[in-house]
Amino acid sequence: MTKYAKMILELIESSGTHLSAEDIFLTLRDRQEGIALATVYNNLNRMCDEGVIRRLTVDGYPDRYDKLVRHDHLVCPKCGKLTDVRFADMSAEIAKQLGVEKAEYDLRVFFLCDECAKKKG
Amino acid sequence: MTKYAKMILELIESSGTHLSAEDIFLTLRDRQEGIALATVYNNLNRMCDEGVIRRLTVDGYPDRYDKLVRHDHLVCPKCGKLTDVRFADMSAEIAKQLGVEKAEYDLRVFFLCDECAKKKG
DNA sequence: GTGTGTGCAAATGATTTGCATATAA
DNA sequence: TTATATGCAAATCATTTGCACACAC
């Protein structure tokens, strides 16, 4: 694992928000790291393949990346903001219904975020 | 509602599969309709905004469009294939937990499709 | 030393946009 | 008529790729 791979992973693991490739690129560049955007993408793709991080694709917005700890997401239908939330784990029921031992899933709940709710009212 | 809007909606409603903008464009063009790809996109976007159809964004694949009847999806992690499936409706629990009357959500279960399962074994 | 990561610039591919024309209410 | 949809081509934007160079093991 290289210098940049480590930095990128650390950023994602330690971040409270959901970072896009560009967020990561800009953060590292601000730290005077001479990293290229393509390198960020390369690393993110590799880590997703290896199952070290998770990609969050939301329609209309650039992909964001997330840690693996089990949780679900609220997605703001206005601004695309993602918020972590934890609903009951349904892996067991789903797996049972599909006739397999283990099942992975992605649950997104559409929910107007605080900021957009304010703007509206 | 225009001629093409009707055709596009009908295609989506009657289709057993999940069509992409290009699928729809090619289908209509094969029927000798002089439709433009941009028109397909325009109509799909409009219908999504109006809440008449639903957009399915799967990372790495072009968007596909779906009818509104409540159901969930299996997503093949190898080929991106979408399959309809119906798990228990969780709107009520989710809404309760969020403190609202109604909640919309999107549930995707990652599950190797038949074809990819064959190829593997 | 040899494979793999990196930087850069150019390519890609899905989707959007601008604008002039055509169509629907 | 008067707004809105359409066709076309060009533009956009996130992401990927090719290639030469630089590390890491």
Side-chain angles (χ1 to χ4, degrees):
Chain A
M1 179 165 269
T2 72
K3 177 183 164 191
Y4 287 144
K6 270 181 221 146
M7 286 186 185
I8 291 170
L9 184 56
E10 203 183 302
L11 269 182
I12 293 171
E13 305 261 62
S14 71
S15 165
T17 60
H18 302 87
L19 302 170
S20 68
E22 199 175 9
D23 291 336
I24 294 170
F25 169 66
L26 292 175
T27 303
L28 293 180
R29 214 189 43 180
D30 282 356
R31 293 190 191 163
Q32 319 298 331
E33 301 293 340
I35 195 171
L37 184 52
T39 300
V40 175
Y41 276 109
N42 286 339
N43 279 295
L44 290 172
N45 287 340
R46 202 176 308 132
M47 291 182 207
C48 285
D49 290 348
E50 289 166 355
V52 178
I53 58 171
R54 156 153 83 127
R55 192 191 329 263
L56 296 174
T57 300
V58 175
D59 165 53
Y61 301 91
D63 288 351
R64 281 159 284 184
Y65 298 85
D66 203 355
K67 1 185 189 303
L68 285 188
V69 256
R70 206 198 80 62
H71 63 276
D72 308 298
H73 290 106
L74 301 183
V75 183
C76 175
K78 275 276 182 224
C79 72
K81 190 183 172 191
L82 287 166
T83 310
D84 289 352
V85 66
R86 189 152 187 179
F87 294 106
D89 188 342
M90 313 183 301
S91 322
E93 295 96 290
I94 291 175
K96 199 173 151 193
Q97 188 162 337
L98 291 174
V100 291
E101 314 108 64
K102 218 179 161 184
E104 286 192 29
Y105 69 89
D106 185 1
L107 174 65
R108 313 251 177 111
V109 177
F110 300 101
F111 193 71
L112 209 61
C113 76
D114 288 351
E115 291 192 22
C116 289
K118 273 178 205 161
K119 275 178 206 157
K120 221 182 181 182
Chain B
M1 179 165 269
T2 71
K3 178 183 164 190
Y4 287 143
K6 269 182 220 143
M7 286 187 186
I8 292 171
L9 184 55
E10 201 184 303
L11 269 182
I12 293 171
E13 305 260 61
S14 71
S15 165
T17 61
H18 302 87
L19 302 170
S20 68
E22 199 174 10
D23 292 335
I24 294 170
F25 169 64
L26 293 175
T27 302
L28 293 180
R29 215 188 43 181
D30 282 357
R31 292 190 191 163
Q32 319 298 331
E33 301 293 341
I35 195 172
L37 184 52
T39 300
V40 176
Y41 276 108
N42 286 340
N43 278 296
L44 290 173
N45 287 340
R46 203 176 307 134
M47 290 182 207
C48 285
D49 290 348
E50 289 166 353
V52 177
I53 57 171
R54 157 153 83 130
R55 191 191 329 263
L56 296 173
T57 300
V58 175
D59 167 52
Y61 302 91
D63 289 351
R64 280 159 285 184
Y65 298 85
D66 203 357
K67 4 185 188 301
L68 284 188
V69 255
R70 206 199 78 64
H71 63 277
D72 308 298
H73 290 106
L74 301 182
V75 183
C76 175
K78 276 275 183 226
C79 72
K81 190 183 171 191
L82 288 166
T83 310
D84 288 352
V85 66
R86 188 151 188 180
F87 294 106
D89 187 344
M90 312 184 301
S91 322
E93 294 96 291
I94 291 176
K96 199 172 149 193
Q97 189 163 337
L98 291 175
V100 292
E101 314 107 64
K102 217 179 163 185
E104 287 192 28
Y105 68 90
D106 184 1
L107 174 65
R108 314 250 176 112
V109 177
F110 299 101
F111 193 70
L112 210 61
C113 76
D114 288 351
E115 291 191 23
C116 289
K118 273 177 205 160
K119 274 177 205 158
K120 221 181 181 182

